[in-house]
Amino acid sequence: MNNAKPSPSFNQAKRAAILSATIFPGAGLFFLRHYVRGCIFAVPAIVVIIMLFKNLFDVAIKLNKELAAQAELGNYAIDFAYLWSSLHGSLFSSPYWEQGKWILLASWLLSIVSSYFAGKRIDLATATH
């Protein structure tokens, strides 16, 4: 009969922390079935990312209209440097990035810590049984 226990070097706490660190804020908590706690970290990150993409799409639509207007005039030359700087600037120069990067960073780091301690609590509970 094999009474093998899970390796203590790779327990629930480490798994949860790694998931939250590598996948998305709150992923480790979802793995541990702490759904509400996971949403506390995932929702702010999702909102920041949605706002960044909204700004990106607004700039992309503006650029599309500019390119269409140039094409109507017979100018088919594309200035890739201008397109790149406009799209890059829409993400990293937007007002959403200025505050959002700190929200995203805090959400990610606190999610890792919270996942670790929630997993540690589970590990301690299973070790005592």
Side-chain angles (χ1 to χ4, degrees), residues 16-17 19-21 23-50 100-119 121:
L19 288 171
S20 283
I23 295 177
F24 201 76
L29 292 164
F30 286 112
F31 169 74
L32 297 173
R33 293 186 173 91
H34 290 229
Y35 302 115
V36 173
R37 200 166 164 183
C39 285
I40 290 171
F41 300 106
V43 169
I46 290 169
V47 168
V48 169
I49 290 169
I50 287 172
K101 66 184 170 192
W102 300 114
I103 294 169
L104 192 58
L105 179 66
S107 178
W108 222 303
L109 292 176
L110 292 173
S111 170
I112 294 167
V113 172
S114 182
S115 296
Y116 179 79
F117 284 113
R121 185 177 297 147

Side-chain angles (χ1 to χ4, degrees), residues 54-110:
K54 180 198 171 300
N55 196 43
L56 176 69
F57 289 133
D58 289 345
V59 171
I61 289 170
K62 182 187 119 218
L63 291 172
N64 182 44
K65 288 179 182 177
E66 287 178 18
L67 289 173
Q70 286 179 359
E72 284 181 17
L73 297 173
N75 181 6
Y76 297 105
I78 298 174
D79 184 1
F80 289 105
Y82 170 71
L83 292 175
W84 173 256
S85 66
S86 296
L87 292 173
H88 186 268
S90 73
L91 284 176
F92 298 110
S93 298
S94 77
Y96 305 117
W97 179 247
E98 292 304 316
Q99 298 303 318
K101 66 184 170 192
W102 300 114
I103 294 169
L104 192 58
L105 179 66
S107 178
W108 222 303
L109 292 176
L110 292 173

